[in-house]
Amino acid sequence: MTIFESVIFIKKAISTNSQYNGKGTSVDRYLSMLYCQEATYFDINELEEITDHFVDKHDFVKALEVVNYGLALHACSNELTLRKADLLAAMNKNKEALRLLNKLEKVDPNNPELFIIKGSICSELGKSEDAIEHFLSAINCGAEMLDDLYMDVASEYQSLGDNEAAITFLKKALNENPYNDNAIYEIAYLFEELDASADAINFFNQIIDQQPYSELAWFYLGAFKGFEADFTGAIEAYDYAIAINEKYVQAHYEKGHAYLISGEENKAIDSFSETINLDPNHYNAYFYLGRAYDNLKDESKALASYSKAVKINKNLDVAWLEMALMLERNNKNIDAVYHVKKATEVNDQNAENWFAFARIHQQIGLLEEAKIAFDQAVDLNPEEVDYWMEYSDMLFVNEYFSECIETIDTAIETIPDAAELYYKKAAFYLSVGMTKEAEGILEIALGLDFSKHKKLFEYLPQSKNNIFVAELINSYTK
């Protein structure tokens, strides 16, 4: 559109507006204008209202058309130019948006909204340092909602891996708005990431001094006291959170967890039951309720609780696993097979699931399935000595001696500092009368960790009466 055409267009819009009868909203008038293809005049406030209408509908293309129409009417409007840049950013046209913002900054260098949009674009582009600079400029230019901007800065520092700086700005956010729960959530998360429980406890105590009725502060105080193994203090904090909000589901749940770790199963059962009363679909509460009953040897209630947990969440592999282990303990291995298979189907990346699968299948004589499962377990967690030990035991007992030695050798290559693996290998050799081979391995084991030499007697009790073994051990005590 030429300058002449623009002038004619604007004059026609103003002329049409003067004849308008005033009925209908700005949006109605705009839609009518499009339908009738007649130019209409709108002031800046009206144009922003129409733009908001389309933005609320996530129709950024139409919103941009409105702004462009507005700029044809009000070419020098900083507000509309800023709005256009914001819309371009929303449409991932970041370079175009930044070019517009850079031009606008020359004529309106103290506009905080300009720097907020710049900061958001830089954040989207992964340029956290530039984003921080722009957000701080917005703050210095007198932006409103400072707590949100401080949180934006904190988020960028978090992206840069500087969690301490992130906490500093989250604290600034809380100083601006003590009721910003999101800031509290983020601070708690970062303290946990930093493994800074003591600092977190001090911080939340300070918050409680300022806001004694902050259920969230009491809750996180309890959580971090729990991390420090102060379960009495944790339970007390959870009680305060519950006193403020008796329907605080997570506080009841974590209180139950603290009781369970403390060995107070009956109190844990009360807390988990209340959690379920408030949230009947809280499958984790059902799971730990089962664990509490399991610890009390009330297997029927434990099984019922685990079953309820997987009924709500069929993908809760830990519950399937616990049921399998319980059935295994009661020699119900066929039923255990079904449950342990479900655990591995739900989560085939959990080494414990495969280890249980192997053990249970071994007990019912399905050795090939057990071997495959042991292979999965040691692949997923090669540093777990017990997996290698049981795997090699199964092979030895079932007369797969060569495979047994190969397996224990692989274990030794993987965990060369685990002396018990050498003692185990020595026991295998002694069991089949291969004394010379046993001697060399036993010497390595004794040299690696003499204090574990009694492991040999656990693995092969008759070795206590072996003169050769006794002499070799005695040679290391001199």
Side-chain angles (χ1 to χ4, degrees):
M1 183 182 291
T2 66
I3 295 175
F4 177 76
E5 289 172 331
S6 296
V7 171
I8 298 298
F9 180 82
I10 294 168
K11 285 183 176 180
K12 185 176 180 183
I14 295 170
S15 175
T16 304
N17 185 68
S18 66
Q19 298 170 13
Y20 187 74
N21 60 18
K23 294 180 180 179
T25 65
S26 298
V27 174
D28 292 334
R29 290 173 54 213
Y30 180 77
L31 294 174
S32 176
M33 178 193 76
L34 294 178
Y35 180 78
C36 298
Q37 296 185 351
E38 292 183 354
T40 304
Y41 178 83
F42 299 93
D43 63 29
I44 291 173
N45 290 334
E46 289 174 320
L47 288 161
E48 289 192 317
E49 180 184 327
I50 300 165
T51 303
D52 288 338
H53 169 79
F54 288 112
V55 169
D56 290 344
K57 293 178 177 293
H58 300 285
D59 193 338
F60 299 120
V61 173
K62 288 184 179 178
L64 187 58
E65 289 174 357
V66 174
V67 172
N68 284 333
Y69 180 77
L71 285 170
L73 297 172
H74 309 280
C76 297
S77 170
N78 291 346
E79 294 91 336
L80 292 177
T81 302
L82 193 63
R83 198 64 187 273
K84 181 174 181 177
D86 197 16
L87 286 168
L88 289 169
M91 297 167 70
N92 292 319
K93 297 182 178 181
N94 293 318
K95 289 184 179 179
E96 193 175 342
L98 285 172
R99 280 198 297 269
L100 207 57
L101 289 168
N102 288 334
K103 286 182 181 180
L104 183 58
E105 187 177 352
K106 293 177 181 178
V107 296
D108 193 5
N110 296 314
N111 190 324
E113 291 299 318
L114 183 153
F115 292 108
I116 292 172
I117 298 171
K118 270 192 169 184
S120 299
I121 292 172
C122 289
S123 177
E124 183 71 22
L125 294 173
K127 298 180 178 180
S128 292
E129 292 177 346
D130 291 338
I132 289 169
E133 180 183 344
H134 293 313
F135 288 137
L136 292 176
S137 294
I139 291 168
N140 292 333
C141 288
E144 299 178 353
M145 304 295 290
L146 288 180
D147 58 322
D148 287 341
L149 279 171
Y150 283 129
M151 287 193 67
D152 288 333
V153 174
S155 178
E156 298 307 320
Y157 273 118
Q158 194 175 341
S159 296
L160 293 170
D162 191 345
N163 289 342
E164 289 88 352
I167 288 174
T168 297
F169 279 93
L170 287 167
K171 288 179 178 179
K172 288 177 181 286
L174 277 176
N175 286 336
E176 290 295 327
N177 179 7
Y179 302 100
N180 189 327
D181 288 348
N182 287 330
I184 293 180
Y185 290 132
E186 289 298 322
I187 288 174
Y189 169 77
L190 291 173
F191 274 131
E192 186 175 355
E193 285 287 296
L194 291 167
D195 194 22
S197 295
D199 291 338
I201 289 169
N202 289 334
F203 172 75
F204 286 112
N205 273 324
Q206 291 171 9
I207 295 294
I208 288 166
D209 287 342
Q210 299 165 10
Q211 299 180 61
Y213 294 102
S214 171
E215 63 194 65
L216 202 57
W218 281 111
F219 173 80
Y220 280 119
L221 179 63
F224 284 100
K225 281 182 176 288
F227 293 154
E228 292 286 285
D230 179 6
F231 299 113
T232 301
I235 290 164
E236 182 182 5
Y238 292 136
D239 278 335
Y240 275 110
I242 292 166
I244 296 165
N245 178 5
E246 61 183 16
K247 294 184 178 180
Y248 197 162
V249 174
Q250 198 63 12
H252 285 286
Y253 171 73
E254 294 296 345
K255 179 182 173 183
H257 211 258
Y259 275 130
L260 185 61
I261 296 172
S262 301
E264 298 185 69
E265 277 80 6
N266 288 313
K267 290 181 178 179
I269 287 168
D270 289 341
S271 291
F272 290 133
S273 297
E274 183 58 27
T275 304
I276 292 164
N277 181 52
L278 293 168
D279 181 2
N281 292 318
H282 201 304
Y283 52 84
N284 280 324
Y286 273 111
F287 172 75
Y288 284 108
L289 180 63
R291 179 70 61 80
Y293 281 125
D294 206 349
N295 290 352
L296 293 172
K297 310 301 181 186
D298 191 340
E299 293 189 341
S300 62
K301 288 184 178 179
L303 194 60
S305 298
Y306 291 142
S307 296
K308 185 66 176 178
V310 296
K311 186 176 181 180
I312 297 168
N313 180 4
K314 63 182 180 180
N315 294 322
L316 191 65
D317 66 303
V318 288
W320 289 112
L321 178 62
E322 289 299 331
M323 286 189 282
L325 296 175
M326 185 183 297
L327 291 163
E328 180 194 16
R329 289 196 300 270
N330 288 284
N331 297 315
K332 296 180 179 180
N333 289 318
I334 300 302
D335 290 336
V337 165
Y338 169 78
H339 289 82
V340 80
K341 278 186 175 179
K342 292 294 292 185
T344 55
E345 287 170 6
V346 166
N347 185 358
D348 63 1
Q349 296 302 304
N350 186 333
E352 287 186 47
N353 293 343
W354 287 110
F355 180 58
F357 186 106
R359 196 174 58 242
I360 292 168
H361 281 74
Q362 174 193 352
Q363 290 174 12
I364 61 175
L366 296 175
L367 299 184
E368 289 305 314
E369 288 82 351
K371 286 166 69 175
I372 292 169
F374 271 126
D375 284 335
Q376 291 280 5
V378 297
D379 281 346
L380 289 167
N381 189 0
E383 301 296 320
E384 182 55 63
V385 172
D386 287 345
Y387 294 174
W388 293 105
M389 302 281 267
E390 291 218 25
Y391 192 3
S392 57
D393 272 337
M394 182 195 76
L395 294 168
F396 182 81
V397 168
N398 288 282
E399 300 182 354
Y400 293 98
F401 186 74
S402 295
E403 286 186 53
C404 166
I405 297 301
E406 287 176 10
T407 298
I408 206 74
D409 282 343
T410 302
I412 287 170
E413 289 175 11
T414 306
I415 325 170
D417 296 330
E420 51 265 59
L421 291 172
Y422 296 91
Y423 286 113
K424 189 71 170 178
K425 185 177 180 180
F428 288 140
Y429 279 134
L430 287 169
S431 296
V432 296
M434 298 175 69
T435 305
K436 186 173 181 61
E437 289 81 356
E439 180 180 0
I441 296 300
L442 188 53
E443 285 185 340
I444 295 173
L446 291 167
L448 190 60
D449 192 342
F450 177 80
S451 68
K452 291 182 178 179
H453 73 273
K454 291 183 180 179
K455 288 284 185 181
L456 178 65
F457 306 144
E458 292 177 23
Y459 305 148
L460 187 66
Q462 59 266 39
S463 63
K464 286 184 179 180
N465 303 318
N466 188 306
I467 296 174
F468 146 71
V469 169
E471 289 177 350
L472 189 56
I473 290 174
N474 287 335
S475 71
Y476 277 83
T477 60
K478 295 178 183 179

Short mmCIF file of all heavy atoms in Angstrom, two decimals, residues 445-465:
data_model
loop_
_atom_site.label_atom_id
_atom_site.label_comp_id
_atom_site.label_asym_id
_atom_site.label_seq_id
_atom_site.Cartn_x
_atom_site.Cartn_y
_atom_site.Cartn_z
N ALA A 445 42.01 -63.07 47.10
CA ALA A 445 40.92 -62.62 47.98
C ALA A 445 41.45 -62.16 49.32
O ALA A 445 41.07 -61.10 49.84
CB ALA A 445 39.92 -63.76 48.17
N LEU A 446 42.36 -62.96 49.90
CA LEU A 446 42.92 -62.61 51.21
C LEU A 446 43.73 -61.33 51.14
O LEU A 446 43.71 -60.51 52.06
CB LEU A 446 43.79 -63.77 51.72
CG LEU A 446 43.02 -65.05 52.11
CD1 LEU A 446 43.98 -66.22 52.27
CD2 LEU A 446 42.21 -64.82 53.37
N GLY A 447 44.46 -61.16 50.05
CA GLY A 447 45.24 -59.94 49.88
C GLY A 447 44.37 -58.73 49.65
O GLY A 447 44.71 -57.61 50.07
N LEU A 448 43.23 -58.94 49.02
CA LEU A 448 42.33 -57.82 48.72
C LEU A 448 41.58 -57.36 49.96
O LEU A 448 41.46 -56.16 50.22
CB LEU A 448 41.34 -58.25 47.63
CG LEU A 448 40.47 -57.17 47.00
CD1 LEU A 448 41.34 -56.11 46.33
CD2 LEU A 448 39.53 -57.79 45.96
N ASP A 449 41.07 -58.33 50.74
CA ASP A 449 40.33 -57.97 51.96
C ASP A 449 40.29 -59.17 52.89
O ASP A 449 39.38 -60.01 52.83
CB ASP A 449 38.91 -57.53 51.61
CG ASP A 449 38.19 -56.87 52.80
OD1 ASP A 449 38.65 -57.08 53.95
OD2 ASP A 449 37.18 -56.19 52.58
N PHE A 450 41.28 -59.24 53.76
CA PHE A 450 41.37 -60.37 54.68
C PHE A 450 40.17 -60.43 55.62
O PHE A 450 39.73 -61.52 56.03
CB PHE A 450 42.67 -60.28 55.49
CG PHE A 450 42.81 -61.37 56.52
CD1 PHE A 450 43.23 -62.64 56.14
CD2 PHE A 450 42.49 -61.14 57.86
CE1 PHE A 450 43.34 -63.66 57.08
CE2 PHE A 450 42.60 -62.15 58.80
CZ PHE A 450 43.03 -63.42 58.41
N SER A 451 39.62 -59.26 55.97
CA SER A 451 38.52 -59.22 56.95
C SER A 451 37.28 -59.98 56.49
O SER A 451 36.42 -60.33 57.29
CB SER A 451 38.14 -57.77 57.26
OG SER A 451 37.55 -57.16 56.13
N LYS A 452 37.21 -60.26 55.19
CA LYS A 452 36.04 -60.98 54.67
C LYS A 452 36.32 -62.48 54.47
O LYS A 452 35.53 -63.16 53.81
CB LYS A 452 35.60 -60.34 53.34
CG LYS A 452 35.00 -58.95 53.49
CD LYS A 452 34.54 -58.41 52.14
CE LYS A 452 33.90 -57.04 52.31
NZ LYS A 452 33.46 -56.47 51.00
N HIS A 453 37.40 -62.98 55.05
CA HIS A 453 37.76 -64.37 54.77
C HIS A 453 36.71 -65.38 55.25
O HIS A 453 36.59 -66.47 54.71
CB HIS A 453 39.14 -64.71 55.36
CG HIS A 453 39.15 -64.84 56.85
ND1 HIS A 453 39.33 -63.76 57.69
CD2 HIS A 453 39.01 -65.93 57.66
CE1 HIS A 453 39.32 -64.16 58.93
NE2 HIS A 453 39.13 -65.47 58.96
N LYS A 454 35.93 -64.99 56.26
CA LYS A 454 34.88 -65.90 56.75
C LYS A 454 33.75 -66.09 55.74
O LYS A 454 32.92 -66.99 55.89
CB LYS A 454 34.33 -65.41 58.08
CG LYS A 454 35.33 -65.50 59.22
CD LYS A 454 34.74 -65.07 60.55
CE LYS A 454 35.79 -65.19 61.66
NZ LYS A 454 35.24 -64.77 62.99
N LYS A 455 33.73 -65.22 54.72
CA LYS A 455 32.75 -65.40 53.64
C LYS A 455 32.92 -66.78 52.99
O LYS A 455 31.95 -67.40 52.57
CB LYS A 455 32.93 -64.30 52.57
CG LYS A 455 32.49 -62.91 52.99
CD LYS A 455 30.97 -62.78 52.97
CE LYS A 455 30.54 -61.36 53.27
NZ LYS A 455 29.06 -61.25 53.29
N LEU A 456 34.17 -67.22 52.90
CA LEU A 456 34.44 -68.52 52.30
C LEU A 456 33.70 -69.63 53.05
O LEU A 456 33.16 -70.56 52.43
CB LEU A 456 35.95 -68.79 52.30
CG LEU A 456 36.39 -70.15 51.74
CD1 LEU A 456 36.05 -70.24 50.24
CD2 LEU A 456 37.88 -70.37 51.96
N PHE A 457 33.66 -69.49 54.37
CA PHE A 457 32.99 -70.52 55.18
C PHE A 457 31.48 -70.46 55.01
O PHE A 457 30.79 -71.47 55.15
CB PHE A 457 33.37 -70.36 56.65
CG PHE A 457 34.85 -70.35 56.90
CD1 PHE A 457 35.41 -69.55 57.88
CD2 PHE A 457 35.71 -71.14 56.13
CE1 PHE A 457 36.77 -69.54 58.11
CE2 PHE A 457 37.08 -71.14 56.35
CZ PHE A 457 37.61 -70.34 57.34
N GLU A 458 30.97 -69.23 54.72
CA GLU A 458 29.54 -69.11 54.44
C GLU A 458 29.20 -69.80 53.12
O GLU A 458 28.20 -70.50 53.01
CB GLU A 458 29.13 -67.63 54.35
CG GLU A 458 29.19 -66.87 55.66
CD GLU A 458 28.84 -65.40 55.47
OE1 GLU A 458 28.16 -65.07 54.46
OE2 GLU A 458 29.27 -64.57 56.30
N TYR A 459 30.06 -69.60 52.14
CA TYR A 459 29.81 -70.16 50.82
C TYR A 459 30.04 -71.67 50.79
O TYR A 459 29.35 -72.40 50.06
CB TYR A 459 30.71 -69.50 49.76
CG TYR A 459 30.62 -67.98 49.71
CD1 TYR A 459 31.73 -67.21 49.37
CD2 TYR A 459 29.43 -67.32 50.01
CE1 TYR A 459 31.66 -65.83 49.31
CE2 TYR A 459 29.35 -65.93 49.96
CZ TYR A 459 30.47 -65.20 49.62
OH TYR A 459 30.41 -63.83 49.57
N LEU A 460 31.03 -72.11 51.58
CA LEU A 460 31.37 -73.53 51.58
C LEU A 460 31.75 -73.94 53.02
O LEU A 460 32.93 -73.93 53.40
CB LEU A 460 32.56 -73.79 50.62
CG LEU A 460 32.94 -75.25 50.38
CD1 LEU A 460 31.82 -75.98 49.64
CD2 LEU A 460 34.24 -75.32 49.56
N PRO A 461 30.74 -74.27 53.83
CA PRO A 461 30.99 -74.55 55.26
C PRO A 461 32.08 -75.59 55.50
O PRO A 461 32.86 -75.48 56.47
CB PRO A 461 29.63 -75.04 55.76
CG PRO A 461 28.65 -74.39 54.85
CD PRO A 461 29.31 -74.34 53.52
N GLN A 462 32.18 -76.63 54.66
CA GLN A 462 33.17 -77.68 54.88
C GLN A 462 34.61 -77.20 54.70
O GLN A 462 35.57 -77.89 55.09
CB GLN A 462 32.91 -78.89 53.98
CG GLN A 462 32.92 -78.60 52.48
CD GLN A 462 31.55 -78.32 51.92
OE1 GLN A 462 30.75 -77.64 52.57
NE2 GLN A 462 31.28 -78.82 50.72
N SER A 463 34.76 -76.00 54.13
CA SER A 463 36.12 -75.47 53.95
C SER A 463 36.78 -75.14 55.28
O SER A 463 38.00 -74.98 55.35
CB SER A 463 36.11 -74.25 53.04
OG SER A 463 35.37 -73.19 53.62
N LYS A 464 35.98 -75.06 56.35
CA LYS A 464 36.56 -74.82 57.68
C LYS A 464 37.49 -75.95 58.08
O LYS A 464 38.44 -75.75 58.86
CB LYS A 464 35.44 -74.69 58.72
CG LYS A 464 34.65 -73.40 58.67
CD LYS A 464 33.64 -73.36 59.80
CE LYS A 464 32.84 -72.07 59.80
NZ LYS A 464 31.84 -72.03 60.91
N ASN A 465 37.20 -77.13 57.60
CA ASN A 465 37.97 -78.31 57.96
C ASN A 465 39.07 -78.62 56.94
O ASN A 465 39.73 -79.67 57.03
CB ASN A 465 37.05 -79.53 58.09
CG ASN A 465 35.94 -79.28 59.10
OD1 ASN A 465 36.17 -78.73 60.16
ND2 ASN A 465 34.72 -79.71 58.76
#
